[in-house]
Amino acid sequence: MLNNFCFWFAALVALGASVLAVSRRNAVHGLLWLVLSLLAVAVLFFMLGAPFAAALEVIVYAGAIMVLFLFAVMMLHLGPAAQRQEAQWLAPGVWIAPGLLALGLAADLIAIARLAGDAPAGAGIIPPEAVGAALFGPYVIGVELASVLLLAGVVAAYHLGQRRDRSLGEGAGSG
Amino acid sequence: MASFPFSHGMVLAAALFAIGLAGVMARRNLIFVLMSIEIMLNAAGLAFIVAASRWQQPDGQVMFLFILAVAAAEVAVGLALALRIYQSLRTLDLDAINTMRG
């Protein structure tokens, strides 16, 4: 019973925090709800016997990526004017069509997921050693591709992040 | 350690994905659209972890690591683009970016 309580509690926190994260007007409030949602999902990862994934979820998602978001929001420094703009954009009617479409998709996915049966998940721990052995065994090409992807991300972020005050060659390769 | 039915975890992942999808469609602020995409990627990662746990294989966790790398790269480029768009247009309105030229 305690197991079920833990699952439902974490699941409800994740769902509620996600709903609040996508519906706030203030970007910082939305980010904080998103951090809560990610932490709740990390709890689920622990319960599912994936301690390595849970630690990465906390460190990389709730830590690094959210701090990146926070820095971007701070650099944009959106003031009260931005919130008035958001209030104007977020009239309640805006949510009707996307909400219905997302509900339809969710109903579809949930109907499929319920076919999956009641085999237990989280029966045992998958140790990080096994994950590492798989990562650098059969999936080593994926690791190389991920490193290329991250390098491309770094180069693109550097290029886009440059100030172009003396923009003689806007878009010139040297940047 | 706790175990719960496989289908419950998949249902939760589907619901989180739908919430992120609704956010992507409804919001006009670029920052919130990126946050909604994060929720969707996270839901996909949750589905992989639940499946890894169901079959007790590490492959699902490997896929979660790849999703993590994709999310990090996407956020870095997306936020840099958001800063550039705000510098040149003074707004984060996605509907205003249709004035962009090559």
Side-chain angles (χ1 to χ4, degrees):
Chain A
M1 290 313 100
L2 185 64
N3 291 349
N4 271 329
F5 172 76
C6 284
F7 170 75
W8 286 112
F9 185 72
L12 285 178
V13 168
L15 287 173
S18 298
V19 168
L20 287 167
V22 299
S23 61
R24 293 300 91 187
R25 289 175 191 166
N26 188 324
V28 178
H29 295 177
L31 276 175
L32 292 176
W33 284 115
L34 184 53
V35 170
L36 182 61
S37 163
L38 295 174
L39 291 177
V41 173
V43 169
L44 285 172
F45 287 177
F46 267 118
M47 287 170 59
L48 283 166
F52 185 53
L56 281 179
E57 175 94 3
V58 173
I59 294 169
V60 178
Y61 253 122
I65 294 181
M66 289 303 117
V67 167
L68 205 59
F69 265 105
L70 207 56
F71 270 116
V73 171
M74 281 159 62
M75 284 170 79
L76 294 170
H77 70 102
L78 310 163
Q83 284 191 43
R84 280 195 296 278
Q85 178 75 74
E86 278 292 331
Q88 199 184 338
W89 283 344
L90 278 185
V94 168
W95 288 98
I96 294 173
L100 284 177
L101 280 172
L103 266 183
L105 178 76
D108 208 1
L109 285 174
I110 287 171
I112 294 170
R114 291 197 65 80
L115 296 179
D118 284 343
I125 295 178
I126 301 171
E129 293 93 328
V131 179
L135 193 61
F136 289 97
Y139 291 101
V140 71
I141 188 73
V143 175
E144 300 294 337
L145 287 174
S147 70
V148 171
L149 178 72
L150 286 171
L151 180 66
V154 167
V155 171
Y158 174 72
H159 180 69
L160 290 169
Q162 279 175 330
R163 292 198 162 277
R164 296 190 185 170
D165 298 330
R166 42 187 201 293
S167 60
L168 287 174
E170 177 90 346
S174 64
Chain B
M1 279 316 294
S3 74
F4 47 83
F6 174 57
S7 58
H8 288 187
M10 295 309 263
V11 166
L12 176 64
L16 282 175
F17 189 88
I19 290 170
L21 183 68
V24 169
M25 289 192 286
R27 300 300 298 241
R28 287 174 67 179
N29 186 327
L30 183 52
I31 295 284
F32 278 96
V33 171
L34 285 173
M35 281 165 54
S36 304
I37 293 174
E38 286 304 307
I39 292 177
M40 290 165 76
L41 282 170
N42 195 44
L46 176 63
F48 270 117
I49 295 284
V50 172
S53 178
R54 159 70 177 78
W55 279 282
Q56 289 292 304
Q57 298 287 330
D59 306 61
Q61 292 195 35
V62 172
M63 287 301 154
F64 173 75
L65 295 185
F66 291 152
I67 290 178
L68 210 62
V70 170
E74 172 255 329
V75 160
V77 177
L79 287 175
L81 273 174
L83 292 176
R84 285 309 302 268
I85 287 166
Y86 191 74
Q87 275 171 17
S88 50
L89 300 177
R90 310 311 296 172
T91 179
L92 286 172
D93 185 2
L94 281 173
D95 291 350
I97 310 175
N98 59 7
T99 59
M100 191 162 62
R101 284 164 298 155

